[in-house]
Amino acid sequence: EHGREEKGPEITTPYAAVLLDNNQVYFGKLANAATAYPELTDVYYIQSSVNQETKAVSNILVRRGNEVHGPDRMFLNAHHIILIEPVGANSKVAQLIADDKAKH
């Protein structure tokens, strides 16, 4: 099949969840999923913190880019991706991203 491109997984929702082999999950807009280095932009991740008094764990969605080097995108090594899933439009993550967007 001459000239046929590898398409790879197609995510039809605006955001995808990407699980890496170090158990880190990133949420973002996925491009070039079929390549060796898929690109994720508008990246978010979950940060867990433990309340030292109550030992309750709280999870907050953090927008990547506030780090010292201010990354605006992330190139992932496809060899370290365990799975890619769509983020459902009505999911908690989608709502948290929408809330974050409304603030900025």
Side-chain angles (χ1 to χ4, degrees):
E1 299 200 15
H2 187 65
R4 190 177 152 268
E5 264 185 58
E6 284 278 326
K7 284 200 51 99
E10 280 199 55
I11 300 289
T12 55
T13 56
Y15 288 88
V18 180
L19 172 64
L20 302 180
D21 58 10
N22 63 358
N23 287 330
Q24 182 69 55
V25 177
Y26 291 104
F27 304 97
K29 294 178 177 169
L30 185 67
N32 306 323
T35 66
Y37 292 95
E39 180 184 8
L40 211 55
T41 53
D42 211 2
V43 182
Y44 290 84
Y45 58 95
I46 304 275
Q47 196 169 53
S48 299
S49 59
V50 179
N51 181 319
Q52 291 308 318
E53 289 174 20
T54 64
K55 299 298 179 211
V57 178
S58 63
N59 295 317
I60 56 166
L61 191 72
V62 179
R63 185 190 176 98
R64 204 167 148 79
N66 299 327
E67 293 79 6
V68 182
H69 60 299
D72 69 341
R73 67 198 56 234
M74 177 186 281
F75 292 95
L76 302 162
N77 184 330
H79 290 296
H80 294 285
I81 296 175
I82 305 259
L83 62 82
I84 296 170
E85 292 179 325
V87 172
N90 300 321
S91 69
K92 183 73 176 157
V93 168
Q95 288 166 7
L96 290 169
I97 290 173
D99 291 348
D100 180 72
K101 295 266 179 236
K103 283 186 232 156
H104 295 291

